[in-house]
Every structure is written in structure tokens, then in C-alpha cells.
């Protein structure tokens, strides 16, 4: 069953039924102010940091789901309804939700009154615009009563959800005309406040939740709305909210536009107060003035759309497959930008409380957006490297507001350092900016410990080399990308964290010096050559040779100790026993090491690489994608940790982890198996799943989910954890660089497609280092891989690396496969 459709011309997904299988959301904001909005106007807002600067409340794990948001209640006689259907849930005569690039438009109609609300965050603005257009589509005049509603969060979302003995005494607001200010704790240590305003006179307001809702009412039936009149309540402690009340009369055919603004303001500490002792609201007044007319709002929305058009034009394709075009040109790139902004911190599955920005996550996310905003990618790389530790390890997470490492999570995740080698290399290949290698970057955010980025990369590389186990393979440490393989934990204590707890037997060692990761070894062979290349670019031939020797040795170690005959092992546990081997009772084969080993050239001489890919297809393939391991674990293995705690087929226990499916897509394309790469790609790409599986898939049909339930699960094909996932970046890399084969390289743009054999060809427009490459690929012999000729501006070139022009012009490229 479908619940809407793709409108590719407008870059929108149009939802026609509010009762989607799960809330289908969008993200608003691209800079500092962000909000999440569902198809029924649920969600929440925050400034920079979803934990430390939460502006509105949201109730996770609530029944029903998706309670809390930005709501408009319309009382028309005795009928009360909301444009987004929820929270009132009155049946509507018409409903649509259009999720676009950085904006959402929700429309509802009831009894001849239509209401359309456009939600967006303008560029360079710390606030959300809510432009409401009401229209009387009937033949008689109508008088309606309109109520807006949002609920303030008391800034720190974690404290707000737990510290009631204090919070129920601190809420403070101020009402000034049509503006409601949230100023809790402003008179104390905070220098920030929020406001909710409308650009018209109001007939009343409410700022106290209990007065607005009633103690025994929910969002669906506020007592103030039922009564048809605001109570003009002023929050004094308890839970502050913001609601405007306005009575509106519309003649037949008449419409009225109201502009609501939810804004956030920070004042310099020495400018908190006016001379008379009142709160300095001057910046709020400026923000309100900026968008207080329909014309100003329309211009801001046009600017936002133009920004997205420009970003998405940097890589655009036309292939024989409309769904691939839709994913590549619109939704996959859009999701990559959202994951750049959010990492894994704030979604409908990540509460914004427990996690900040991930080191591993953000480095991988960069691979998907660096072509759009290389300058911000550089800034992100500096932020990430600044949380690295002097031994080459890293804080696994950092808070976006403070940019400091999350000490609660700490480090010792064995794969973290390698991802930074990949991301810095990707940035340089895209931008040509080698100066980043000379940038002075602190360790542990301590400027006195600052060294060059190249020093950070050296530490990253040798952190792996210098932390190996008995077989010369990298130690697994706390975890090795798969956070649910915890070979040092040995937890039998309910509620104990698998990721941050280790067995007391390790003492000061902190983790097993026996447990080894074949996955990290394989990743090392894939990422390591990028470090070697950067050494050579810096003229450090000795460093390059030393690093290459370490890579060569790792390849030998993998083949000697990490090859199981048909596939690569997953790990060695703390007992020195193989994990992911035919010798195991359960979990005989794992997906993670296979793709990186193949792309790292491990086993190429013996054909082991192709054998591993055959095994992936044979044992891990399913209708809905590649499962992570087989057979699924049915017992708890204390030596493995969290992976064996999930029911079979879910998450890391034989779920379809879409993130690592991309590594196999890349590997299959890498070896020339374009048909197989496309098969795997189309099984998990949401645009392909929309028509057949929307009701089964449940999460949004326009963005990737982290996980789809595997073939052992009772709900095989059901997705969870949508939006914020490394799947976005890696699948964009898989399709744009490995399948379509347009690859930023050190000295130019490399063309090396690996496509379905039936394609006649395709075209790509790719902006790269100040020039536009209009690439036409022809496939007259219907091969999957192989380039026989390349011409640029009518002239044949040697090889398949396009020269760097940097001239601001467009260049015609013709590629013939064969």
C-alpha cells in the first residue's frame, strides 16, 4: 500500500493519508537552528544541540506516538480540527503533507474552511516560520476561532525530562502584545530565551499548560479550545506553553495569512539587560521584523529553495532508471546533508539526549556531503580531529554545542581513527586543498597540544598498527564499528552498558589484549593506502614506505589468520576462538569484513576476494537486502556481548543493516559485477521499496533506514531507525562513485562505471573544483564495467582521469564502455 507519491519536479514527497504506518518526518534548518516535523506537525526544535538547547518538548515512547509539536486548533461552531489531522484526529475533507527540501507544507480542509501551513527555517536565521493561510471556500461567511500551541522545554532536555522537583517551580514567561517569551532561568545563569509570535493582534493567549489543556485532557481536547476562548493564563512555575487565540471572520472566497515565528535568541552576557532592568529583547524584535509580512516570507522560502537547487545541482544524473535518478538527484543527497547536521543525535529514534556527534559517524557522513559544501566539511574535520587523543584514539562522541569530547562514552573504539583518514582524503580529493594537512589542530581540545592534521592522521594510522593481538590483527577494544560486538565486556549484570563497560579482569588494560577484529584489519587495507598517498603528496617517501609495509603485512595476516576458506572471519574472541567461522554453531558468516577486504585487495591473487562475495550472496542475501550475519544467534553469548541479545533478525543480530550493505555494493561494483551491485542497491534504496512495501517497511519511503528486519525476523522487511544513519553517505558513495563511477581522485575526476549490463548508457553533470563536467557514458556492447575511450571537449585523452580545469566553464566528456 502507498500513502503518497514522489513529486520529482518539485523535489517533494506528497503524503495523502495522515495515518502513515509510522510518523514520516522532515528536517528543517541547515545551520544552527533545527527542527523535526512529522506529517501531522509533531516534532521538536533546538538550537545547535538537541540535548543542551532544546526549545520545545517532545514525548518519546508515548502512546499514541508522536505527541507534541506545533499545533493549530480550528474551532468552527462545535467542530474542532487541526490542519495536520493530529492531535484532534477529526476526519478531514482533504489532507496533504508535502515534505520538501528544508520545508514542509501541511494542508487540511473541513466544512469549507481550508488551512495550509508552510513550515521552514530561513537561511541565517534562528527560528522557524509557520505561515498559515486560512480560506473560506464556501458560499457563506464563516467565523472561526484559531488557537496556536507549542510547549516549551526547559533547555536541557535530559534535565527537563527527569528533574521535576525543580522544574515544576522554574518556568517563566512574559507576554508582550502578540509575542510570548520563554525566559526560564534567564535571570540566573542563562543568556538565551525563546519566543513565539504572530504578525497580527490577538484576542487572548495561554502560557500555562494545565490552564490550556486541563489536567485530565490531552492534546486532542484542550479545555480552552473546547470552551472557545483563551484563559489568558500566565505560567508561574509548572509547565510553560505558548498559545495565541484569535477570532477570524472570513467572507466567501476570502483568505487570511498569519505568520507565526518560533525564535531563539542569545544575548552577550554584558547585554542581557536594558537600562531599566528589563530583559533585552532587541534581537527578538529584529527577528520578528525580518519576516512579518507574506512578501518577506515568500522571498525567504524562495531563497531556501534556490539554495537547495544549487546544492543538488552539483551532482545530477539521468539514467534509464527513474528511481535511481530520484534517489541520486534528490533524496539521497538531501539525507546526506541532514546526517551531516545531526550525526546520530536527534531523530524519532535518537532522542537527542543520549548522544552527541559521533566521531566515526561524522567522518563517514562527510563522504556523502563533501561535494556539496567542502568548506563546511573542512570545518567539521577540524572539529572532529580536535577531539582526538594524543595516542591516536578518539572520543567516540562529542557535544555539538561545546565541541568537546563526551567523557561519559569515552574512547577505545578500535575503528574510529581509520575513518578520519578516509574523510580527510575525500575532502582533499574533492577540493584539492592540501593545506588542511598543515592546519594546526589540538588534541583533546587543548590548544597547547596542537599539531598538524598530518600528525593526527599519522597517529590514527599507527594507533591500529601498534594495537594488535596474537595474530597481528587489530585489537577489537570496546567495539569495532559494530557497537554490539563487545568482546571485552563479559556482562552478566542487567542494565550494564555493553559499550562502556569492560570486564574487571582487564584492570588498567581496559580491554582484552587477545580479542581481535578482522573487520578493522580489512578496513585498514582499504583506508591505509589513502594515508600512504597523503604521505607521498607531502614528500614523505620514507613515511609512505613504512605505512605501506604495515598494510602489506596486515594483508598477509588476514590471509593467514582471517580467511575461513569461503569468507573472511569476523573476529577472534577473548578466548582466542574464531568468530564468524564455519566452526561456529551460530554466526558463521558476517557481512562487515567482506567488502573492505575485497576493495583492499586482500586475497585477490588467490581468488579469495570473489569467493567471499559469492558467500555473501549465498548465505546473507534475502528479499529485502543482505543480513548482517547467519545463522542468527538464538542464545546469549557472554563473550560476544550485545549482538546476541537481540531477537533473531533484528538490528545487529542478522538484521539487514543497510549501512554495511553499501560496502558490498561498492565491492561488487569494484570487481565489475554491475548487475549484482545494482540488485543489492535496489533492494534497500527506499524509492524502490515505496510502491510494493510502504506498509511493511513502515518508515519514510524517501530516506534510508538504518535497519530492515532480516529473514529470521517475524517482520521481515520492516524498517527502523530512519534518517540518521551512515547508510545515507555510504549508499550515495556506492551509487555515485562505484556504480555510476564518477570518482574524485587526487589529480582529477576519475570515470569508472560498473552498471547493469542492459543499460545503453547515462549522463551526469558533475561540478568539481570550479568546473562543470557534462559526462555522457555510452555502453554499446552492454558490458558492466570497462572504459575503452574518453574524450574531453572533443579531444581524446589517455586513461580515464579527467583533467582539473578550475575555469568556471562547462566541459563535454564522452565515455565509451567496452
Amino acid at each position: 500500500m502507498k500513502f503518497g507519491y514522489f513529486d520529482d519536479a518539485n523535489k517533494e514527497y506528497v503524503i495523502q493519508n495522515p495515518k502513515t504506518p509510522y510518523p514520516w518526518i522532515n528536517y528543517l534548518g541547515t545551520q544552527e537552528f533545527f527542527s523535526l516535523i512529522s506529517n501531522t506537525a509533531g516534532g521538536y526544535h533546538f538550537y545547535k544541540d538537541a540535548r543542551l538547547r532544546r526549545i520545545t518538548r517532545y514525548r518519546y515512547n508515548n502512546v499514541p506516538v508522536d505527541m507534541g509539536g506545533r499545533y493549530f486548533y480550528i474551532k468552527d461552531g462545535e467542530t474542532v480540527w487541526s490542519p495536520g489531522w493530529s492531535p484532534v484526529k477529526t476526519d478531514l475533507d482533504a489532507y496533504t503533507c508535502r515534505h520538501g527540501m528544508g520545508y514542509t507544507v501541511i494542508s487540511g480542509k473541513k466544512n469549507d474552511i481550508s488551512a495550509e501551513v508552510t513550515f521552514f527555517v530561513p537561511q541565517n536565521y534562528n527560528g522557524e516560520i509557520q505561515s498559515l493561510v486560512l480560506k473560506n471556500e464556501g458560499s457563506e461567511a464563516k467565523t472561526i476561532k484559531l488557537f496556536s500551541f507549542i510547549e516549551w522545554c526547559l533547555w536541557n532536555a535530559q534535565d527537563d525530562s527527569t528533574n521535576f522537583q525543580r522544574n515544576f517551580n522554574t518556568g517563566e514567561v512574559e507576554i508582550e502584545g502578540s509575542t510570548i517569551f520563554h525566559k526560564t532561568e534567564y535571570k540566573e545563569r542563562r543568556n538565551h530565551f525563546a519566543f513565539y509570535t504572530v504578525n497580527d493582534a490577538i484576542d487572548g493567549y495561554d502560557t500555562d499548560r494545565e490552564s490550556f489543556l486541563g489536567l485530565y485532557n490531552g492534546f486532542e481536547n484542550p479545555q480552552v479550545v473546547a470552551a472557545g476562548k483563551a484563559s489568558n493564563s500566565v505560567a508561574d512555575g509548572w509547565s510553560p506553553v505558548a498559545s495565541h487565540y484569535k477570532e477570524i471572520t472570513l467572507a466567501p472566497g476570502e483568505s487570511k495569512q498569519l505568520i507565526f515565528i518560533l525564535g531563539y535568541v542569545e544575548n552577550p552576557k554584558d547585554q542581557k539587560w536594558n537600562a531599566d532592568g528589563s530583559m533585552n529583547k532587541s534581537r527578538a524584535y529584529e527577528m520578528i521584523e525580518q519576516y512579518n509580512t507574506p512578501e518577506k516570507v515568500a522571498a525567504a522560502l524562495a531563497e531556501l529553495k534556490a539554495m537547495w537547487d544549487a546544492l543538488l545541482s552539483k551532482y545530477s544524473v539521468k539514467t534509464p532508471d527513474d528511481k535511481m535518478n530520484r534517489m541520486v538527484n534528490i533524496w539521497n543527497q538531501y539525507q546526506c546533508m541532514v546526517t551531516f547536521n545531526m550525526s546520530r543525535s536527534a531523530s524519532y529514534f535518537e532522542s537527542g539526549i543520549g548522544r552527541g556527534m559521533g566521531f566515526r559517524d561524522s567522518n563517514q557522513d562527510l563522504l556523502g556531503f563533501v561535494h556539496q559544501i567542502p568548506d563546511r566539511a573542512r570545518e567539521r574535520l577540524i572539529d572532529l580531529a580536535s577531539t582526538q587523543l594524543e595516542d591516536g584514539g578518539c572520543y567516540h562522541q562529542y557535544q555539538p554545542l561545546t565541541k568537546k569530547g563526551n567523557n561519559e562514552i569515552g574512547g577505545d573504539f578500535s575503528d574510529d581513527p581509520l575513518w578520519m583518514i578516509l574523510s580527510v582524503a575525500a575532502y582533499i580529493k574533492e577540493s584539492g586543498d592540501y593545506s588542511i594537512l598543515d592546519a594546526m589542530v589540538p588534541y583533546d581540545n587543548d590548544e597547547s597540544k596542537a599539531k598538524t592534521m598530518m600528525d593526527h592522521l599519522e597517529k590514527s594510522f599507527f594507533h591500529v598498527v601498534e594495537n594488535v593481538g596474537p595474530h597481528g590483527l587489530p585489537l577489537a577494544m570496546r567495539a569495532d564499528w559494530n557497537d554490539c560486538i563487545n568482546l571485552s565486556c563479559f556482562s552478566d549484570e542487567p542494565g550494564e552498558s555493553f559499550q562502556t563497560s569492560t570486564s574487571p579482569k582487564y584492570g588498567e588494560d581496559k580491554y582484552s589484549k587477545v580479542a581481535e577484529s578482522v573487520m578493522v584489519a580489512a578496513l585498514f587495507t582499504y583506508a591505509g593506502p589513502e594515508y600512504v598517498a597523503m604521505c607521498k603528496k607531502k614528500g614523505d617517501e620514507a613515511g609512505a614506505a613504512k605505512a605501506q609495509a604495515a598494510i602489506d603485512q596486515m594483508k598477509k595476516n588476514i590471509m593467514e589468520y582471517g580467511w575461513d576458506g569461503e569468507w573472511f572471519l569476523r573476529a577472534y574472541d577473548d578466548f582466542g576462538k574464531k568468530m564468524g567461522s564455519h566452526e561456529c554453531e551460530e554466526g558463521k558468516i558476517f557481512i562487515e569484513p567482506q567488502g573492505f577486504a575485497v576493495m583492499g585487495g586482500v586475497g585477490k591473487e588467490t581468488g579469495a576476494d570473489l569467493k567471499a562475495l559469492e558467500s555473501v550472496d549465498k548465505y546473507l542475501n534475502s528479499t529485502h537486502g543482505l543480513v548482517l550475519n547467519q545463522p542468527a544467534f538464538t542464545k546469549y553469548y557472554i563473550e560476544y556481548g550485545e549482538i546476541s541479545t537481540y531477537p533473531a533478525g533484528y538490528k545487529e543480530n542478522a538484521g539487514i543493516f543497510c549501512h554495511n550493505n553499501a560496502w558490498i555494493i561498492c565491492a561488487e561494483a569494484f570487481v565489475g559485477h554491475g548487475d549484482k551491485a545494482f540488485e543489492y542497491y535496489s533492494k534497500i534504496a527506499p524509492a524502490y521499496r515505496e510502491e510494493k512495501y510502504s506498509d511493511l517497511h513502515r518508515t519514510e519511503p524517501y530516506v534510508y533506514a538504518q535497519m530492515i528486519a532480516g529473514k529470521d525476523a517475524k517482520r521481515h522487511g520492516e524498517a527502523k531507525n530512519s534518517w540518521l544513519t551512515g547508510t545515507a553517505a555510504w549508499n550515495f558513495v556506492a551509487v555515485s562513485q562505484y556504480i555510476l563511477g564518477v570518482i574524485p581522485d587526487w589529480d582529477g575526476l576519475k570515470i569508472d562505471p560498473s552498471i547493469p549490463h542492459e543499460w545503453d548508457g547515462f549522463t551526469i553533470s558533475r561540478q568539481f573544483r570550479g568546473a562543470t563536467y557534462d559526462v555522457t557514458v555510452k555502453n554499446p556492447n552492454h558490458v558492466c564495467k570497462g572504459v575503452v575511450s574518453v574524450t574531453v571537449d572533443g579531444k581524446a585523452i589517455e586513461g580515464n582521469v579527467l583533467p582539473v580545469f578550475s575555469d568556471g566553464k562547462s566541459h563535454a566528456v564522452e565515455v565509451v564502455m567496452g
Side-chain angles (χ1 to χ4, degrees):
M1 178 179 175
K2 291 176 64 177
F3 294 83
Y5 63 91
F6 286 99
D7 181 349
D8 294 337
N10 289 306
K11 301 183 179 70
E12 295 176 340
Y13 191 84
V14 184
I15 301 168
Q16 298 169 296
N17 181 346
K19 300 178 184 179
T20 50
Y22 197 78
W24 288 358
I25 75 166
N26 196 9
Y27 284 81
L28 313 182
T30 61
Q31 292 156 317
E32 296 184 329
F33 186 99
F34 301 100
S35 59
L36 288 72
I37 182 167
S38 73
N39 57 298
T40 57
Y44 55 96
H45 309 76
F46 60 94
Y47 172 76
K48 285 188 178 180
D49 192 312
R51 174 177 172 179
L52 300 178
R53 287 292 184 277
R54 187 74 66 93
I55 296 168
T56 58
R57 277 198 182 121
Y58 183 77
R59 287 164 176 78
Y60 283 94
N61 201 28
N62 203 22
V63 180
V65 297
D66 198 25
M67 282 293 100
R70 64 288 269 163
Y71 294 138
F72 291 99
Y73 299 87
I74 297 170
K75 185 174 174 63
D76 179 7
E78 294 305 308
T79 301
V80 177
W81 59 283
S82 291
W85 179 69
S86 187
V88 181
K89 300 185 178 70
T90 298
D91 288 338
L92 301 179
D93 299 330
Y95 160 91
T96 59
C97 169
R98 306 181 74 96
H99 283 321
M101 304 290 103
Y103 67 89
T104 288
V105 182
I106 296 177
S107 305
K109 181 180 176 181
K110 186 70 177 178
N111 298 339
D112 294 329
I113 295 291
S114 66
E116 180 179 274
V117 197
T118 302
F119 302 88
F120 70 101
V121 175
Q123 289 293 95
N124 306 304
Y125 191 75
N126 291 330
E128 179 182 282
I129 305 298
Q130 304 166 1
S131 176
L132 169 64
V133 177
L134 297 163
K135 185 175 181 180
N136 181 357
E137 298 183 2
S139 57
E140 297 181 0
K142 282 261 194 178
T143 297
I144 60 173
K145 297 177 179 182
L146 174 72
F147 300 82
S148 67
F149 178 82
I150 57 103
E151 183 179 13
W152 302 114
C153 179
L154 303 187
W155 305 118
N156 184 321
Q158 185 171 38
D159 186 76
D160 178 78
S161 63
T162 57
N163 193 7
F164 304 118
Q165 62 84 24
R166 182 175 193 275
N167 293 340
F168 283 159
N169 296 278
T170 60
E172 285 192 84
V173 299
E174 187 174 323
I175 303 97
E176 187 179 281
S178 298
T179 305
I180 298 166
F181 293 93
H182 175 222
K183 60 178 188 178
T184 301
E185 295 186 346
Y186 187 81
K187 70 176 182 295
E188 306 158 40
R189 297 166 294 175
R190 297 187 181 274
N191 64 329
H192 48 263
F193 61 90
F195 64 89
Y196 192 36
T197 191
V198 62
N199 69 332
D200 205 347
I202 57 176
D203 298 312
Y205 56 83
D206 275 286
T207 67
D208 175 70
R209 188 180 72 195
E210 189 173 317
S211 299
F212 179 80
L213 291 178
L215 183 60
Y216 298 104
N217 296 30
F219 291 121
E220 77 284 354
N221 184 33
Q223 66 180 11
V224 158
V225 178
K229 186 178 180 181
S231 69
N232 293 342
S233 61
V234 178
D236 188 28
W238 295 107
S239 295
V241 301
S243 173
H244 305 90
Y245 163 63
K246 188 170 179 63
E247 190 171 300
I248 300 168
T249 299
L250 296 172
E254 184 183 3
S255 62
K256 183 175 182 62
Q257 183 170 359
L258 294 168
I259 299 162
F260 293 81
I261 300 174
L262 175 64
Y264 171 88
V265 173
E266 280 189 3
N267 284 326
K269 289 185 178 180
D270 60 352
Q271 297 176 29
K272 282 183 66 172
W273 308 104
N274 295 317
D276 63 0
S278 60
M279 185 171 74
N280 178 4
K281 306 187 187 83
S282 60
R283 287 172 175 78
Y285 299 150
E286 291 169 5
M287 290 179 67
I288 294 168
E289 178 69 22
Q290 202 170 344
Y291 295 114
N292 60 355
T293 69
E295 293 76 17
K296 293 176 182 178
V297 169
L301 184 59
E303 180 188 20
L304 179 69
K305 290 182 177 181
M307 183 275 292
W308 277 109
D309 287 345
L311 285 178
L312 297 177
S313 70
K314 293 179 183 294
Y315 191 119
S316 60
V317 305
K318 186 176 182 181
T319 75
D321 190 299
D322 288 342
K323 294 180 177 66
M324 178 178 278
N325 299 339
R326 175 179 297 147
M327 291 306 304
V328 174
N329 295 337
I330 306 171
W331 292 99
N332 198 172
Q333 293 194 71
Y334 181 55
Q335 188 180 3
C336 285
M337 284 293 293
V338 171
T339 55
F340 154 67
N341 285 318
M342 301 289 110
S343 187
R344 308 295 173 270
S345 63
S347 72
Y348 270 35
F349 297 89
E350 292 286 359
S351 68
I353 293 174
R355 297 182 68 167
M357 308 294 281
F359 188 94
R360 159 207 299 156
D361 300 328
S362 295
N363 274 294
Q364 291 178 87
D365 293 342
L366 186 140
L367 305 178
F369 74 80
V370 64
H371 67 289
Q372 294 178 308
I373 48 170
D375 54 335
R376 293 186 70 188
R378 190 184 201 276
E379 178 185 312
R380 174 60 54 81
L381 286 169
I382 299 298
D383 286 348
L384 289 165
S386 298
T387 64
Q388 192 174 22
L389 305 173
E390 288 181 281
D391 67 355
C394 319
Y395 284 106
H396 194 54
Q397 296 167 10
Y398 72 96
Q399 288 304 128
L401 190 68
T402 64
K403 296 185 179 180
K404 292 188 182 296
N406 187 335
N407 292 290
E408 295 173 3
I409 303 300
D412 296 325
F413 289 74
S414 55
D415 64 309
D416 275 349
L418 289 174
W419 299 113
M420 194 164 71
I421 293 174
L422 280 179
S423 62
V424 171
Y427 166 74
I428 294 173
K429 288 177 180 179
E430 182 65 42
S431 65
D433 174 23
Y434 287 91
S435 71
I436 191 172
L437 297 177
D438 298 317
M440 297 299 290
V441 184
Y443 284 100
D444 198 9
N445 277 286
D446 185 342
E447 291 292 345
S448 69
K449 298 177 181 177
K451 292 191 177 180
T452 65
M453 176 65 86
M454 194 66 194
D455 187 80
H456 283 258
L457 298 180
E458 181 181 3
K459 293 286 199 327
S460 297
F461 184 90
F462 286 100
H463 187 267
V464 174
V465 176
E466 294 165 1
N467 287 277
V468 296
H471 301 99
L473 300 170
L475 293 173
M477 300 185 178
R478 287 194 189 279
D480 67 351
W481 179 82
N482 190 327
D483 286 335
C484 297
I485 294 179
N486 318 109
L487 305 181
S488 297
C489 188
F490 285 86
S491 177
D492 57 6
E493 184 68 31
E496 187 174 53
S497 168
F498 286 100
Q499 279 77 55
T500 61
S501 300
T502 55
S503 173
K505 72 179 180 178
Y506 300 120
E508 293 183 3
D509 286 340
K510 297 188 291 184
Y511 45 80
S512 171
K513 296 299 189 287
V514 174
E516 297 166 296
S517 169
V518 179
M519 185 268 171
V520 174
L523 177 60
F524 183 74
T525 69
Y526 178 74
E530 305 285 40
Y531 173 70
V532 172
M534 285 184 277
C535 286
K536 291 180 177 178
K537 292 290 184 182
K538 291 290 292 176
D540 183 7
E541 293 295 337
K546 181 181 178 183
Q548 187 61 54
I551 296 168
D552 294 341
Q553 183 61 52
M554 190 66 74
K555 289 183 178 181
K556 292 178 182 177
N557 295 347
I558 293 173
M559 285 309 300
E560 185 170 358
Y561 301 110
W563 177 246
D564 198 55
E566 291 186 79
W567 57 79
F568 293 98
L569 296 176
R570 182 59 182 83
Y572 283 89
D573 64 24
D574 184 58
F575 301 116
K577 294 181 179 179
K578 297 174 183 177
M579 181 184 192
S581 166
H582 72 279
E583 299 171 12
C584 300
E585 179 184 354
E586 298 179 325
K588 295 175 182 290
I589 177 173
F590 284 74
I591 194 173
E592 296 106 308
Q594 317 305 331
F596 285 128
V598 170
M599 292 186 287
V602 181
K604 184 175 182 180
E605 300 85 352
T606 63
D609 57 345
L610 300 183
K611 186 67 176 174
L613 292 177
E614 289 172 9
S615 296
V616 167
D617 189 25
K618 181 178 179 180
Y619 297 110
L620 303 181
N621 203 358
S622 79
T623 304
H624 299 286
L626 299 167
V627 300
L628 188 142
N629 59 287
Q630 277 291 291
F633 295 114
T634 61
K635 298 180 288 186
Y636 177 49
Y637 295 79
I638 193 169
E639 67 271 29
Y640 292 170
E642 186 173 1
I643 189 170
S644 59
T645 67
Y646 291 104
Y650 292 100
K651 284 277 281 177
E652 284 82 354
N653 185 17
I656 297 162
F657 225 78
C658 300
H659 186 150
N660 54 41
N661 272 232
W663 301 339
I664 303 299
I665 296 169
C666 292
E668 291 283 9
F670 177 78
V671 301
H673 299 166
D675 291 323
K676 183 58 70 174
F678 181 79
E679 175 198 328
Y680 293 154
Y681 171 76
S682 60
K683 283 186 175 182
I684 62 169
Y688 292 85
R689 299 179 59 76
E690 181 231 13
E691 204 159 312
K692 276 179 81 172
Y693 299 122
S694 279
D695 49 350
L696 169 65
H697 187 82
R698 293 194 68 197
T699 62
E700 297 88 346
Y702 40 90
V703 292
Y704 285 97
Q706 176 207 70
M707 193 277 295
I708 297 171
K711 55 190 177 183
D712 300 284
K714 293 179 174 63
R715 298 181 174 185
H716 182 32
E718 180 184 75
K720 291 179 183 174
N721 296 19
S722 61
W723 273 102
L724 302 186
T725 164
T727 305
W730 269 110
N731 272 271
F732 186 71
V733 169
V735 66
S736 66
Q737 297 187 29
Y738 284 85
I739 295 178
L740 298 175
V742 180
I743 309 161
D745 209 352
W746 303 105
D747 300 312
L749 201 58
K750 185 177 179 181
I751 310 295
D752 190 16
S754 189
I755 59 176
H757 76 276
E758 68 265 21
W759 283 14
D760 293 321
F762 59 95
T763 61
I764 289 183
S765 176
R766 176 63 153 91
Q767 295 178 30
F768 179 70
R769 298 193 198 174
T772 300
Y773 296 78
D774 295 316
V775 182
T776 299
V777 177
K778 298 180 178 179
N779 189 21
N781 297 320
H782 290 275
V783 299
C784 286
K785 192 178 179 73
V787 171
V788 295
S789 69
V790 179
T791 60
V792 180
D793 295 330
K795 298 178 182 178
I797 66 167
E798 289 292 324
N800 61 341
V801 178
L802 309 180
V804 176
F805 289 103
S806 303
D807 56 8
K809 298 179 181 179
S810 295
H811 298 272
V813 180
E814 183 174 290
V815 178
V816 179
M817 297 179 66

